[in-house]
Amino acid sequence: MIPLSLDEIASLVGGKVVGDGSVTVSAPAVIDGRRAGPGGLFVAFAGEHTDGHEYASQAAEAGAVAVLGSRPTALPTVVVEDAQEALQRLAAHVITLLRDHLTVVAVTGSQGKTSTKDMIETVLSTTAPTVATSGSFNNELGVPLTMLRADTTTRFLVLEMGARHIGDIADLTGLVEPDISVVTNVGRAHLGEFGSREAIATAKSEIVRGLVPGGVAVLHADDAQVLAMGSLSDGPVLGFGVGDPADVRVRDLTLDRLGRPSFMLSHDGETAAVDLPLIGAHWALNAAAAAAVGVAAGVPLEQAATDLRHASISKWRMELRALDNGATLLDDSYNANPESTRAGLDALAAIDAERHIAVLGEMLELGSAGPAAHHEIGAYAATRADLVVTVGHTAAAIADGAGDRAVALADNAAAIDWLRSNLAPGDVVLVKASRGARLDQVAASL
């Protein structure tokens, strides 16, 4: 964050300083006092069950020098009526001050947006100082907090933008107009909230509508709903994918015995080889999206390909771990929807193993389409795994779809007991479900 005094912050957000207004904030803002750094700003929210203002002293111990909140605290405080609005106003102002040397990249999609964001960060950070969203902190708080991590040395700002309603992404691009916008796909994630894939596409398209004039739209060319978003931009459109419409194209894809993809990327007559250290063929598309962003930002294709060979991604996403008993864990427990679960099952099947075991829990937020989608995934899992272990009564439709290959278990504890008793050397086990199912606990137990 660029250094600002409390008096300056108060003026920018329409607040009042209680305490020493000359105190200078020089480190990023946080909403968890334990994560504050020396010179940092702690943003306090009064929630239904917890009042952040009560943790100002904890933030001070971690290094925070000031608070932005709705009432005074033990630290010098900018008092405002709405802390969220004030945080967003502050972030928007800071980026305005940095805009002449800053390229902003925004990423959304039904699935793969966090991993694509991670890959984009990998490609851009070798070229110039880059700030990117941590994990999946992609909402009305995460985006401004990420923006406030930028300073005068930052050249690329990579923002993941999520949505649960039409208008959410428009609100975020209202804080900062992207120079480059990426849409990975339109799937069924959050179908329960949006009601239809058409509504999901409308929500995702806001990231293209929100581009700066002449900004670049990087779109999944194999997804017709995504490619159609190009008509919403007055600037260049750069497609990525495996089909003919793609400008940055994946060719000659192969997988090794651990399911790690190797392929060629091509663009404008150039080709470059990529060997990813990640599990599953679907990573090739994410890599192509990242390379396309690199191309739009002036990174040579060969350099992007070299960078991608060292790509790393946020935790609980296709993490391959050797277990003490000689089995192998494929931990993809962060989240799940029908499309990402299919990709996970494909990755499981691609690994050379004695037995392939899929441990699957509920896919949340599918609305009325949920039962059919779970049954569909169960049937597909039966074609990709030797055993399909379902966890929880809400995953019963997966077991129904998997038929004779299904083992239906009541809860995480039962799944842990079953796995400890039944996993054998040479087995590989995929663990995947929506975040609310907490199957990361099952993976961690192994």
Side-chain angles (χ1 to χ4, degrees):
M1 180 169 169
I2 61 174
L4 293 169
S5 71
L6 271 201
D7 285 335
E8 290 175 306
I9 292 174
S11 177
L12 292 170
V13 302
K16 177 183 177 181
V17 177
V18 178
D20 184 0
S22 67
V23 168
T24 297
V25 173
S26 57
V30 297
I31 58 174
D32 182 343
R34 296 167 296 183
R35 297 184 180 276
L41 177 69
F42 175 51
V43 185
F45 294 93
E48 183 178 350
H49 303 293
T50 303
D51 187 346
H53 299 81
E54 297 176 359
Y55 294 88
S57 296
Q58 179 190 65
E61 291 176 3
V65 296
V67 172
L68 174 63
S70 56
R71 63 176 175 82
T73 70
L75 283 172
T77 305
V78 175
V79 178
V80 295
E81 290 188 6
D82 187 329
Q84 177 178 303
E85 180 186 13
L87 171 66
Q88 292 176 344
R89 289 177 63 181
L90 177 61
H93 177 78
V94 166
I95 295 303
T96 298
L97 297 178
L98 301 174
R99 209 60 166 103
D100 61 338
H101 65 265
L102 188 67
T103 297
V104 178
V105 181
V107 185
T108 196
S110 294
Q111 59 268 348
K113 55 184 175 290
T114 298
S115 301
T116 300
K117 175 265 304 178
D118 292 338
M119 289 185 167
I120 292 169
E121 181 183 10
T122 296
V123 169
L124 297 180
S125 62
T126 60
T127 298
T130 300
V131 169
T133 300
S134 297
S136 298
F137 203 13
N138 59 23
N139 61 10
E140 66 277 4
L141 296 180
V143 169
L145 288 171
T146 304
M147 292 164 64
L148 287 173
R149 287 168 45 209
D151 59 27
T152 55
T153 68
T154 307
R155 295 297 175 265
F156 294 108
L157 176 62
V158 184
L159 298 170
E160 180 180 331
M161 295 185 175
R164 290 183 178 274
H165 309 91
I166 290 176
D168 286 352
I169 291 176
D171 289 342
L172 298 177
T173 60
L175 302 178
V176 54
E177 292 179 316
D179 298 286
I180 304 170
S181 286
V182 184
V183 183
T184 61
N185 45 52
V186 172
R188 286 176 281 180
H190 308 307
L191 187 60
E193 282 87 356
F194 287 103
S196 68
R197 291 184 74 159
E198 289 72 24
I200 294 171
T202 297
K204 301 305 181 184
S205 72
E206 293 169 3
I207 208 167
V208 178
R209 294 180 186 272
L211 279 163
V212 298
V216 181
V218 175
L219 305 176
H220 186 183
D222 303 328
D223 186 321
Q225 288 182 298
V226 174
L227 190 60
M229 297 176 192
S231 64
L232 304 175
S233 172
D234 66 354
V237 175
L238 200 58
F240 65 90
V242 299
D244 290 336
D247 300 290
V248 177
R249 190 172 175 186
V250 175
R251 300 174 181 271
D252 303 327
L253 174 66
T254 61
L255 301 175
D256 70 8
R257 60 177 297 275
L258 293 178
R260 294 173 299 197
S262 297
F263 52 93
M264 301 297 295
L265 284 177
S266 63
H267 173 256
D268 199 22
E270 296 183 59
T271 60
V274 181
D275 301 302
L276 289 179
L278 307 169
I279 311 303
H282 61 286
W283 294 113
L285 283 176
N286 297 346
V293 170
V295 168
V299 179
L301 185 68
E302 184 61 48
Q303 179 62 53
T306 299
D307 297 337
L308 287 166
R309 294 170 196 147
H310 308 287
S312 61
I313 53 175
S314 299
K315 65 180 181 179
W316 301 326
R317 293 169 172 86
M318 288 294 170
E319 293 181 350
L320 196 67
R321 299 179 181 273
L323 303 180
D324 290 342
N325 69 346
T328 301
L329 167 67
L330 183 58
D331 184 358
D332 197 32
S333 60
Y334 182 78
N335 216 336
N337 57 62
E339 289 76 23
S340 69
T341 302
R342 277 179 171 264
L345 290 164
D346 288 342
L348 170 70
I351 298 173
D352 186 12
E354 293 295 325
R355 285 192 307 174
H356 298 85
I357 301 171
V359 179
L360 304 176
E362 184 180 13
M363 301 177 292
L364 296 168
E365 301 174 347
L366 295 175
S368 60
H374 284 80
H375 190 279
E376 168 196 317
I377 283 299
Y380 189 72
T383 71
R384 311 306 280 159
D386 299 293
L387 289 172
V388 180
V389 178
T390 64
V391 183
H393 71 277
T394 52
I398 299 177
D400 290 343
D404 293 343
R405 298 204 174 192
V407 177
L409 300 174
D411 52 28
N412 285 1
I416 291 168
D417 288 343
W418 188 93
L419 288 165
R420 286 178 174 168
S421 299
N422 289 277
L423 276 187
D427 290 346
V428 59
V429 55
L430 167 71
V431 177
K432 189 164 182 63
S434 283
R435 192 84 190 100
R438 295 306 309 269
L439 287 201
D440 59 292
Q441 297 173 348
V442 175
S445 74
L446 297 178

